[in-house]
Amino acid sequence: MSDIRVRIAPSPSGNLHIGTARTALFNYLFARKNNGKFILRIEDTDLERSNTEYTQNIYDSLKALGLNWDEGPDVGGNYGPYQQSQRFDIYPKYAKKLLESGWAYECFCTPEELEAEKEESIKNKRPHMYSRRCANLTEEEKAKFRAEGRIPAIRFRVPEGETNFHDLVKGDLHFDNSLIGDFVIMKSNNTPTYNFAVVVDDMEMKMTHIIRGEDHIANTAKQIMIYKALGAQVPEFAHLGMILAPDRSKLSKRHGATAVSEFVEKGYLTEALLNFVALLGWSPSDGVEIKTLEEIAQDFRLTEISSSNSIFEYDKLNWMNGQYIKRMDISKLTDLAIPFISCYDLNSYTRPQLEKMIASTREPISVLSELTNDVKYFFGEGVEFEGDVMDKVIKTENSQMVLKYINEQIKDWAFDNPEKLHEQLADIRTYFKENHGIKPKESMWALRAAITGRIHGADLGVIIELLGKDRVEKRVQACIF
Ligand code: GLU
């Protein structure tokens, strides 16, 4: 085991976002590759926006993706608690340390005063920064404010100069401190701000690498200042490019699903989702995109992550999901398919028959939810005819001839012998081609349309076998006019 420790630190203010899943994956892969530890920390300091249902969704989604953590709120570890709301007594100790060393000061400004400052900056078209009005208050001035009933927040005293760091993905980054205003680390209600809590936690939890979205780069400068002021080791940083929607705007609900659980509900497989998000920034060295988590872990190098933004191509995800559906073990796929077809009387089939049904229907689909419609004709007595199938396919002269002929043959069909049945269907095709010049495709369309109401679908032999003699016969007869 190496000393490498990384974490995913989601805020439970929503279901686990697909972007957070990618960040979790890259942290997980980095830990795996380096024999390190992958830690889950729940950042729920914003109690108003946090919700235990979302925390549960985060656990469930990460587990479903196979991104198991070594330490976390539920499994414990040596550096807990791993839920920020249980760490509220830790932050004031560090804030006190910064106050004592002069790196922080009490700020008594009221929200109204701060708002007025901000408006003044806007009026003068200046970038807004805290005026430092409270930066050098005397003890008497502080006492006076306290006597007025003001409760101070604590601000970090940003030093002069620059904050520089080498990002493992983005390269060398420089920040001019004069553009960073003294920022609040503890609010007047004695709770920490994100930038402070994250440093205290990452420091106490001995994180060595912080891998996260590039929307946190500006925060990183502030966080590095806090590490240094606390005399702590600054971890390495790696900021990942953003995930954008195909229209290059921020990926949001209007583009489609965004939470992992939402994708699963729509019929995406977690293996496919994981493989897909891995490709948002990482490229396999052999060019083969479809890979297991294990294979990706072997090939993963943090420093080779692309520093640019990635586009979330739903079409590509659909394709990839289809590939996984096609390749998945049939018993497992059937288990996953059941929620999407449980609107039908599944007890009318045995488990092996259900597996056969799914195996013969899975080929063209890209999401499992398509199965709801695609297996419809396997259930019930009658058939619903799609579009103009009745007029354009079934009622034609040729089809009627085919169906009448088939109606006479059905009694001899080998419903329990797929190979024989296959031959019998081939004989029908040959018969109509040779005697009536009807293309094989056309004769089979007539049969398919009569027993399924459609011209596309599962293997005809499997459909006939699963429907059984009675239903096939009745459905064919119902289409003879
Ligand atoms: N709770 C933060 C977020 O969800 C964590 C950011 C970080 O990784 O430092 O964005």
Side-chain angles (χ1 to χ4, degrees):
M1 191 58 64
S2 73
D3 293 335
I4 285 186
R5 294 174 58 83
V6 292
R7 75 335 187 248
I8 183 71
S11 305
S13 54
N15 290 334
L16 187 83
H17 193 275
I18 192 79
T20 313
R22 182 196 55 168
T23 308
L25 171 64
F26 285 7
N27 275 284
Y28 173 90
L29 292 170
F30 184 67
R32 286 285 301 276
K33 177 95 190 185
N34 294 288
N35 258 322
K37 287 254 162 96
F38 171 59
I39 290 124
L40 170 64
R41 183 171 70 229
I42 298 291
E43 300 210 326
D44 59 349
T45 39
D46 187 344
L47 293 173
E48 266 166 40
R49 293 182 60 216
S50 301
N51 178 322
T52 49
E53 246 171 66
Y54 294 140
T55 305
Q56 192 58 44
N57 180 276
I58 291 169
Y59 291 158
D60 294 346
S61 303
L62 288 173
K63 275 186 198 153
L65 291 167
L67 302 177
N68 299 317
W69 47 98
D70 302 302
E71 296 168 26
D74 54 340
V75 295
N78 292 336
Y79 304 94
Y82 293 88
Q83 191 151 350
Q84 280 186 334
S85 57
Q86 291 171 18
R87 303 174 59 82
F88 278 134
D89 56 334
I90 297 174
Y91 309 110
K93 284 191 291 198
Y94 286 97
K96 189 160 170 258
K97 212 170 150 187
L98 292 178
L99 280 174
E100 284 166 4
S101 57
W103 278 108
Y105 58 87
E106 290 175 312
C107 171
F108 292 86
C109 294
T110 62
E112 294 75 27
E113 286 166 345
L114 294 172
E115 194 50 39
E117 266 193 11
K118 206 167 170 185
E119 274 167 23
E120 188 66 16
S121 304
I122 295 171
K123 212 172 83 194
N124 297 325
K125 297 199 164 59
R126 274 191 283 112
H128 176 63
M129 234 190 291
Y130 176 59
S131 65
R132 294 198 142 179
R133 205 161 9 155
C134 295
N136 298 299
L137 295 179
T138 62
E139 288 309 317
E140 290 74 43
E141 285 167 321
K142 288 190 216 170
K144 196 169 148 266
F145 280 136
R146 271 187 234 279
E148 285 173 22
R150 296 194 188 207
I151 301 167
I154 299 175
R155 278 186 194 271
F156 188 79
R157 197 185 298 275
V158 173
E160 283 178 9
E162 278 192 350
T163 300
N164 302 321
F165 67 98
H166 179 78
D167 189 281
L168 295 173
V169 173
K170 299 274 173 189
D172 289 330
L173 297 172
H174 309 278
F175 292 87
D176 180 350
N177 291 0
S178 70
L179 301 176
I180 303 173
D182 289 354
F183 54 92
V184 173
I185 54 172
M186 291 292 287
K187 297 182 226 170
S188 55
N189 66 3
N190 212 27
T191 61
T193 57
Y194 156 71
N195 275 316
F196 190 50
V198 83
V199 170
V200 170
D201 291 347
D202 285 338
M203 187 181 74
E204 284 219 328
M205 295 180 186
K206 301 214 174 344
M207 296 303 162
T208 57
H209 294 74
I210 308 298
I211 306 168
R212 61 186 171 195
E214 71 174 34
D215 47 335
H216 284 292
I217 285 189
N219 287 324
T220 305
K222 295 179 182 171
Q223 291 170 17
I224 289 176
M225 291 178 203
I226 301 175
Y227 279 109
K228 289 186 174 162
L230 287 171
Q233 169 91 29
V234 180
E236 300 264 11
F237 290 94
H239 286 94
L240 312 172
M242 301 307 287
I243 300 176
L244 303 178
D247 64 5
R248 301 198 180 241
S249 65
K250 191 169 173 254
L251 189 67
S252 73
K253 287 206 184 310
R254 77 191 157 86
H255 300 107
T258 51
V260 169
S261 49
E262 239 181 298
F263 280 103
V264 172
E265 279 160 25
K266 286 183 182 232
Y268 290 91
L269 307 182
T270 48
E271 290 88 340
L273 277 175
L274 200 71
N275 194 159
F276 176 75
V277 296
L279 297 170
L280 301 173
W282 167 80
S283 323
S285 55
D286 60 2
V288 179
E289 291 194 318
I290 299 211
K291 286 215 158 36
T292 61
L293 184 55
E294 199 54 48
E295 288 165 338
I296 297 170
Q298 295 311 320
D299 197 25
F300 184 80
R301 266 165 298 274
L302 191 59
T303 47
E304 287 173 12
I305 294 292
S306 156
S307 63
S308 37
N309 294 333
S310 314
I311 307 290
F312 195 99
E313 303 281 6
Y314 286 91
D315 290 347
K316 181 165 180 184
L317 171 61
N318 287 344
W319 167 79
M320 187 166 270
N321 203 54
Q323 295 296 313
Y324 272 84
I325 288 176
K326 224 182 281 184
R327 297 170 190 204
M328 181 166 265
D329 167 74
I330 193 60
S331 169
K332 199 171 160 199
L333 185 67
T334 305
D335 288 342
L336 294 172
I338 284 175
F340 297 94
I341 58 172
S342 56
C343 50
Y344 304 115
D345 178 17
L346 299 186
N347 292 327
S348 56
Y349 289 106
T350 61
R351 172 76 190 197
Q353 285 177 321
L354 275 183
E355 289 187 3
K356 212 168 210 178
M357 181 189 301
I358 300 301
S360 68
T361 319
R362 68 168 150 185
E363 185 73 25
I365 69 168
S366 50
V367 280
L368 294 177
S369 52
E370 289 172 47
L371 286 174
T372 315
N373 179 46
D374 289 358
V375 303
K376 199 170 182 179
Y377 52 78
F378 283 104
F379 298 92
E381 290 301 314
V383 158
E384 257 175 54
F385 296 91
E386 260 182 4
D388 50 12
V389 166
M390 183 51 96
D391 289 336
K392 293 266 167 66
V393 184
I394 291 174
K395 288 188 174 166
T396 65
E397 223 173 281
N398 281 352
S399 293
Q400 286 298 306
M401 184 164 44
V402 171
L403 292 174
K404 278 176 195 151
Y405 181 79
I406 285 177
N407 189 34
E408 282 160 20
Q409 304 281 315
I410 289 178
K411 60 180 186 318
D412 301 323
W413 279 4
F415 282 89
D416 50 2
N417 183 344
E419 255 171 62
K420 178 112 190 279
L421 185 63
H422 209 77
E423 284 166 20
Q424 289 170 319
L425 291 176
D427 289 346
I428 293 174
R429 289 196 288 270
T430 315
Y431 170 80
F432 280 101
K433 183 163 181 282
E434 287 178 356
N435 296 292
H436 300 279
I438 297 176
K439 284 192 196 131
K441 227 203 272 180
E442 200 184 338
S443 52
M444 289 301 103
W445 267 348
L447 174 58
R448 180 182 287 281
I451 62 176
T452 70
R454 309 168 185 199
I455 52 166
H456 298 294
D459 176 80
L460 204 46
V462 174
I463 299 174
I464 293 171
E465 185 193 334
L466 292 183
L467 285 176
K469 181 164 177 287
D470 262 15
R471 279 193 290 182
V472 172
E473 199 165 32
K474 277 191 197 136
R475 289 182 185 188
V476 167
Q477 283 170 358
C479 288
I480 296 174
F481 299 101

